[in-house]
Every structure is written in structure tokens, then in C-alpha cells.
Amino acid sequence: MAHIHLGEGSFPLWALALWTLIGTGLIGVVVYRIRKGGIETRQIALAGIAGAASFAVFQLNIPVWGGIHMNLTGLVGILAGPLLGALIALVVNIFSAALGHGAVGLLGANTLVNASEAVVAYYAFRTLVGLDWDVFPASTGAATLGLSAGAVLMGAIIVVSGVNGSALPRADLTVAVAGLVGLNLGVAVVEGLLTGFVVQFLASVRPDLVGLVDRLGRDASEVTA
């Protein structure tokens, strides 16, 4: 949902190097953990579907305040997990940049933003489900929290980096970016609700896709008893 829509050369070189380095480090850790621990076949299939859906929705840009859109990264995180979710964020950003949606130089920064959304949404969903929340509020809340975290991180990256050629003092830039973050937080609520409906539907027909077989099976046995 959050995405830095600035053009090439908008960030100073030190900022590009910093976010690229951190993004590369994140992906390196993800690849290492996947190679070490492996992934389930179910997750690979879900990753492909989720990645395609995220990329398609990602391209529907609303030209408001630099551009806002949904990208389903909260849903991606819940379904595919944090590791594959981070890789999907990288792939979606690479293909989007190839189409002119986002600067190539900002791949590191944007991957960090979108990967954080998937990771936070996954762990928030698992935590809320573990607290016996129903599927809909758990997935809605988790996705909204993940997307909100991404929006805040996006704003922080822009403010910390500064924008080349901008005449705004850092304080005024912070105010302007805060407005953009606030707008994205509103979109996060909408996308969170959409994610909740999708996850609730999947849990009702294929609970294994969202890792809820044990819980739903236990609940059903308690009801029938």
C-alpha cells in the first residue's frame, strides 16, 4: 500500500546506498533462512498467486498526493509467510520499476517498506489468532497494522533521506510527508477490511491455506460435542 513514488535521482547518493544496503541485507537473510529451513509446497503455490495478485493491484494507481494504491502485501504476508512475503515484495517492486512505477534506484527503500508490511501482518495475524480472535477481525487488524507500519516507515525514509531539488526545509518536508502518511493510513483501513474478507472466505473453504486447520478442527469438535 505504501510506496515511494519519487523519480530517479530524488534521493542523495548516501541515502540510495544506505537503503539499498539494508534492503540487500534483508533479502540476504531471507534467502539464507529459506535455504536453511526450506518452505512448504503449499507456500510456493500461494506465493505465486499472491505475487501475481499483488503486482496486478499494484499498478492501479490513484494520482492523489504523489500516488496511492493498494498492493495486498498484508494478504501476501498472511498467506505466504514473512520470508516469501519479503521476496514477493522485492519481485513486485522490480517488475513495477521496469514498467516505470517507482524508480529503480529506490528498489531497496521500497522493498523495505513493502516487506515490513508483509512481515508485520503475518506476525500480528498469528498473535491475534493465538489470542482466540475470530479470523475476520484478526486478519483485518493484522493487515491494517502491517500496512500502517509500512506507511510510517515510508514517511521516515523520505524525511531521513531528504529530497534533491526540494526547496522545503526539513520541518516543512516532515509536515508534507505526514499528510501523505495519514492518507495512506486511511487506505490501510480499506485494504485491511478487504484482506479480512478474503482471509475469512479462504478460512471457510480451505483453512489449510491460512494455517488454521488445527484451530478450526478443534473448534468444530467443541461445537459438535
Side-chain angles (χ1 to χ4, degrees):
M1 185 271 306
H3 193 253
I4 302 173
H5 291 94
L6 299 174
E8 299 289 357
S10 297
F11 279 4
L13 289 177
W14 68 264
L16 291 179
L18 174 64
W19 305 126
T20 300
L21 181 62
I22 297 176
T24 301
L26 171 65
I27 296 302
V29 171
V30 167
V31 172
Y32 171 77
R33 291 192 58 185
I34 289 178
R35 288 176 62 87
K36 184 177 180 180
I39 52 177
E40 301 176 7
T41 303
R42 170 186 67 84
Q43 289 180 300
I44 297 176
L46 282 174
I49 296 172
S54 177
F55 175 73
V57 173
F58 203 85
Q59 307 314 310
L60 302 177
N61 190 49
I62 302 173
V64 175
W65 212 325
I68 59 174
H69 52 72
M70 295 190 294
N71 57 19
L72 303 181
T73 46
L75 178 63
V76 166
I78 292 172
L79 295 182
L83 300 180
L84 288 177
L87 290 182
I88 290 172
L90 171 63
V91 172
V92 169
N93 273 289
I94 289 175
F95 279 99
S96 295
L99 295 178
H101 187 170
V104 174
L106 296 178
L107 279 176
N110 278 323
T111 297
L112 285 173
V113 169
N114 298 138
S116 70
E117 295 171 342
V119 171
V120 172
Y122 172 82
Y123 285 110
F125 178 68
R126 293 300 161 189
T127 299
L128 295 176
V129 167
L131 295 174
D132 288 329
W133 282 42
D134 289 336
V135 174
F136 178 76
S139 53
T140 298
T144 302
L145 182 61
L147 295 169
S148 298
V152 172
L153 179 58
M154 174 195 68
I157 288 175
I158 296 174
V159 171
V160 169
S161 302
V163 179
N164 286 332
S166 174
L168 289 176
R170 188 60 60 95
D172 292 340
L173 175 63
T174 301
V175 172
V177 170
L180 175 61
V181 170
L183 184 61
N184 277 273
L185 292 177
V187 179
V189 175
V190 176
E191 186 171 341
L193 288 169
L194 175 61
T195 299
F197 285 118
V198 173
V199 175
Q200 183 182 48
F201 171 75
L202 291 176
S204 67
V205 296
R206 287 288 304 276
D208 58 302
L209 294 181
V210 289
L212 297 177
V213 174
D214 293 339
R215 174 186 169 176
L216 294 182
R218 183 179 67 250
D219 290 348
S221 64
E222 290 172 355
V223 172
T224 56

